[in-house]
Amino acid sequence: MTRYFCLDEPEVFELETAVTAAEPGRVRLDRSPFYPGGGGQLADRGRLHWSGGEVAITGFETQADGIWHLLAEPVVPSGAVVAQVDRPFRQLMRELHTDLHIVNALVYQGFDGALVTGVQMNEDGTARIDFDLPEADNERLRGLEGAINDVIRQDLPVLETYVTEDEAFDEPGLIRSRSVTPPPTADGRIRVVEIAGLDRQACGGTHLSATGASRPLRILKIDNKGRHNRRLRIGLEGA
């Protein structure tokens, strides 16, 4: 993958850029502030403004020639444009993704290195995360809610770095998913997200700069999904 602008500049929600290719209803941009989705995180939403008007962005297509931005109307913008990210929606995804890392860390540490088997974040402020936990006690899992919210209250810094693919696979616990590994950047590196003093794992999504920027979290439900999968459903308070 390329290094997304939104990962290097997570607080930039409006960006002046230029159209590099356009067809009715879709464009490529010289630089884009949008996260195109992946790893269970929904893609950003937003708008494109130019001298001839404005249009909503409805999705993204990643192709060999770059990321195409799909537009709500069959317009063909050209020249200079302003790309504007839906800030509240991005914030929601950042909260959920950071909180899922907290959940992941506490389950990994407390349940013998259990691996993730699936993740999905939702626009209503809820999310699910599945673990390979065939023998886990559901009440013990539910009891993690207090520890999760304690991490949020501690306002721990959330940092990022990049390591080589070899380093990523050599470091125990850095790859947490049973089936998915974040794709390397063009220069062959893996992005690592660290919650200071708690967790360190490979990830390609957007996160908060500190855990305290999240609302409190509730564990809504725990389901048994098949012989091995245990599903935790979580929700942000007030979402």
Side-chain angles (χ1 to χ4, degrees):
M1 76 173 204
T2 58
R3 280 182 64 158
Y4 298 137
F5 178 91
C6 64
L7 301 183
D8 292 334
E9 301 290 345
E11 302 300 327
V12 175
F13 299 96
E14 188 170 295
L15 181 67
E16 293 185 13
T17 184
V19 172
T20 58
E23 299 173 359
R26 65 181 200 150
V27 297
R28 283 204 327 261
L29 302 177
D30 180 47
R31 294 190 302 165
S32 173
F34 299 101
Y35 179 69
Q41 179 176 336
L42 298 177
D44 276 338
R45 300 170 180 177
R47 302 188 69 82
L48 201 64
H49 303 258
W50 72 103
S51 61
E54 64 177 278
V55 67
I57 293 172
T58 60
F60 305 89
E61 287 183 359
T62 301
Q63 298 185 0
D65 58 359
I67 297 174
W68 286 85
H69 299 58
L70 309 182
L71 310 177
E73 301 171 27
V75 294
V76 185
S78 62
V81 296
V82 174
Q84 187 176 57
V85 176
D86 182 331
R87 185 168 185 159
F89 185 78
R90 164 78 70 80
Q91 173 67 13
L92 176 65
M93 290 296 107
R94 292 171 78 189
E95 286 186 71
L96 287 173
H97 207 153
T98 303
D99 292 340
L100 286 170
H101 274 234
I102 297 172
V103 175
N104 188 340
L106 295 175
V107 170
Y108 184 80
Q109 294 165 14
F111 292 83
D112 300 320
L115 295 178
V116 173
T117 56
V119 173
Q120 182 60 57
M121 296 161 234
N122 305 312
E123 61 184 275
D124 63 357
T126 66
R128 67 165 174 83
I129 183 167
D130 297 355
F131 293 96
D132 185 355
L133 277 172
E135 306 297 334
D137 179 351
N138 283 358
E139 288 307 308
R140 186 177 163 212
L141 284 167
R142 191 176 297 279
L144 292 175
E145 184 175 297
I148 293 166
N149 285 303
D150 185 55
V151 171
I152 292 173
R153 284 190 295 269
Q154 289 180 54
D155 196 25
L156 301 178
V158 180
L159 313 168
E160 71 166 54
T161 188
Y162 287 83
V163 300
T164 66
E165 287 188 80
D166 287 345
E167 289 171 330
F169 284 99
D170 287 345
E171 183 174 332
L174 201 68
I175 307 295
R176 296 282 177 80
S177 173
R178 181 166 289 284
S179 58
V180 178
T181 302
T185 60
D187 60 354
R189 303 181 77 79
I190 299 288
R191 181 170 176 262
V192 175
V193 172
E194 179 176 356
I195 300 176
L198 175 73
D199 188 49
R200 176 177 162 85
Q201 62 179 285
C203 184
T206 64
H207 298 82
L208 301 170
S209 59
T211 60
S214 172
R215 287 164 281 183
L217 193 73
R218 292 179 297 128
I219 296 179
L220 304 175
K221 190 177 181 181
I222 300 175
D223 294 320
N224 297 338
K225 292 292 183 180
R227 293 179 58 189
H228 290 276
N229 280 357
R230 200 63 54 94
R231 176 169 294 175
L232 278 70
R233 298 183 184 273
I234 64 170
L236 293 168
E237 188 173 282

